[in-house]
Amino acid sequence: MPIPKHVFDPPFNIVRSSHVVLDVTDLKASRAFYETAVGLHVEDADNSAVYLRGFEEHQHHSLVLRKAPVAACNRIGFKVGNEGDLDKAASFFSANGIQHKFAEQPFQGRTLQFTDPFGFQIELYATMDKRPHLLRRYDLYKGCHPQRLDHFNVFAAEVQDTMDFYARLGFRLTEYAEEDGPNGRIAAAWLHRKGNVHDLAITNGKGPRLHHFCYWVPTAMNVLHLCDVMASSGYLKSLERGPGRHGISNAFFLYVRDPDGHRLELYTSDYFTMDHDHEPLRWSLNDPRRQTLWGAPAPRSWFEEGSPFPTTKVREPAFVAQVTVAD
């Protein structure tokens, strides 16, 4: 299938992935997991929500936990360049029949929420309250020392169309997985705005759902340390996949599940992709190094389970990709 061309003059300027809002059923349990085990810093909290961030982040939050009766991914968020980009985005959505509205959100400036043509619920903002840098506050470090939110990965029922839509918004393809043969279909795509491997990955599957969100950590040893922390603090069963090294992105990784089953990746050692002529790297679906450079396949849960969006019906994928699954 065709890969999209880089678009350098998108209708509005998305800078990077910024934050995720999760609906959780037990706010106390979720806070304990992300604050004490993973090691995110709690910036604000009340009886209905907890706001957390990584130690490198100046922004008020990159993870919001909202108390709710049903677990879901409420929204994923992207930062845009300036206030004018919000108006440009609203004009683009109006011209293309995309549902959108401006909404008040705590600690954020003007926020534009929209549902894309595939059902993903997203919000854009230009400004957020600032907080002091915690990078050198080593006395506060816990868990795996998460530094910053890096990317989102979503299950999409229509991978090609979803990829083409976000390429139109200026997301640039870095790597992709494709069936072999003359009519091979793209089963997954990694796209970026900020200059590393991805801000948004699109994976074939029942969608729209959030597959995972990811925090970048300083070294592979931080990932290994989190395994020890979780094994000794009652979260052993929350370890889902890894540690290991992806072929795609070259990143050293670990996937864990929070008390509601939301999937979090801890990640380091990917590479820069900011050159305008960076060529996307193709992976065959039959190449075992694609999932894990060392050849170990992912568990079935990794291909089948994800977090739905609250008001969007989950659809069957346009095709079923033939992937290797661990026994």
Side-chain angles (χ1 to χ4, degrees):
M1 299 295 289
I3 62 173
K5 293 182 179 180
H6 294 337
V7 173
F8 294 101
D9 55 349
F12 53 93
N13 180 30
I14 292 175
V15 175
R16 59 174 174 83
S17 52
S18 167
H19 62 282
V20 60
V21 183
L22 298 180
D23 289 346
V24 300
T25 58
D26 186 332
L27 192 59
K28 182 179 179 181
S30 293
R31 173 176 176 164
F33 176 82
Y34 286 106
E35 181 182 18
T36 63
V38 176
L40 291 170
H41 179 75
V42 172
E43 194 60 43
D44 276 288
D46 58 26
N47 291 331
S48 62
V50 180
Y51 297 82
L52 305 98
R53 63 180 171 122
F55 281 74
E56 187 183 320
E57 295 173 324
H58 283 288
Q59 66 191 49
H60 179 272
H61 57 266
S62 53
L63 172 62
V64 182
L65 305 174
R66 298 188 346 147
K67 184 174 177 55
V70 178
C73 176
N74 189 273
R75 293 199 176 269
I76 59 176
F78 294 95
K79 182 179 176 67
V80 299
N82 55 51
E83 293 291 327
D85 285 308
L86 294 175
D87 297 318
K88 291 177 182 178
S91 296
F92 174 84
F93 298 148
S94 293
N96 289 273
I98 296 172
Q99 178 184 349
H100 64 285
K101 65 178 181 179
F102 283 97
E104 295 291 328
Q105 292 297 303
F107 309 106
Q108 294 173 201
R110 204 164 52 121
T111 300
L112 179 60
Q113 297 181 338
F114 72 98
T115 301
D116 77 8
F118 314 98
F120 295 103
Q121 294 172 217
I122 298 171
E123 63 183 28
L124 308 174
Y125 75 97
T127 62
M128 184 186 290
D129 288 0
K130 297 292 188 181
R131 290 295 186 266
H133 213 239
L134 297 174
L135 180 62
R136 297 169 187 84
R137 287 296 308 273
Y138 295 107
D139 56 312
L140 300 178
Y141 278 33
K142 302 175 185 176
C144 62
H145 308 171
Q147 299 293 297
R148 60 182 181 267
L149 188 136
D150 187 82
H151 66 260
F152 309 113
N153 185 307
V154 297
F155 279 125
E158 305 89 8
V159 171
Q160 183 76 44
D161 292 344
T162 307
M163 175 182 66
D164 291 342
F165 175 80
Y166 282 95
R168 186 180 176 191
L169 300 187
F171 285 79
R172 291 153 57 182
L173 185 69
T174 58
E175 304 196 26
Y176 63 102
E178 186 180 42
E179 297 173 320
D180 294 329
N183 298 312
R185 295 163 293 189
I186 293 176
W190 286 256
L191 304 103
H192 81 91
R193 285 298 296 162
K194 66 181 179 297
N196 69 341
V197 175
H198 55 316
D199 287 274
L200 179 64
I202 301 165
T203 301
N204 182 72
K206 294 180 181 180
R209 292 181 296 163
L210 176 69
H211 184 278
H212 69 264
F213 64 104
C214 174
Y215 276 88
W216 188 90
V217 301
T219 72
M221 286 304 300
N222 296 91
V223 174
L224 295 174
H225 179 61
L226 183 60
C227 295
D228 288 335
V229 170
M230 294 184 70
S232 57
S233 58
Y235 293 110
L236 182 61
K237 292 182 179 180
S238 296
L239 296 170
E240 181 187 34
R241 181 185 176 200
R245 185 178 296 280
H246 288 307
I248 289 173
S249 81
N250 191 58
F252 197 85
F253 70 86
L254 176 70
Y255 292 93
V256 301
R257 308 291 289 272
D258 78 3
D260 281 292
H262 298 303
R263 182 181 290 107
L264 167 67
E265 181 183 17
L266 294 312
Y267 169 106
T268 192
S269 302
D270 63 342
Y271 59 92
F272 289 126
T273 59
M274 71 282 291
D275 286 355
H276 70 282
D277 55 354
H278 177 81
E279 291 289 338
L281 175 63
R282 178 190 181 275
W283 291 85
S284 166
L285 279 182
N286 295 322
D287 188 342
R289 301 173 304 160
R290 175 183 65 86
Q291 290 186 22
T292 307
L293 190 64
W294 308 334
R300 187 167 299 279
S301 62
W302 198 84
F303 295 103
E304 296 182 352
E305 297 175 9
S307 301
F309 291 84
T311 62
T312 309
K313 183 178 180 180
V314 174
R315 302 183 302 279
E316 293 291 330
F319 70 96
V320 177
Q322 299 301 311
V323 295
T324 304
V325 180
D327 294 332

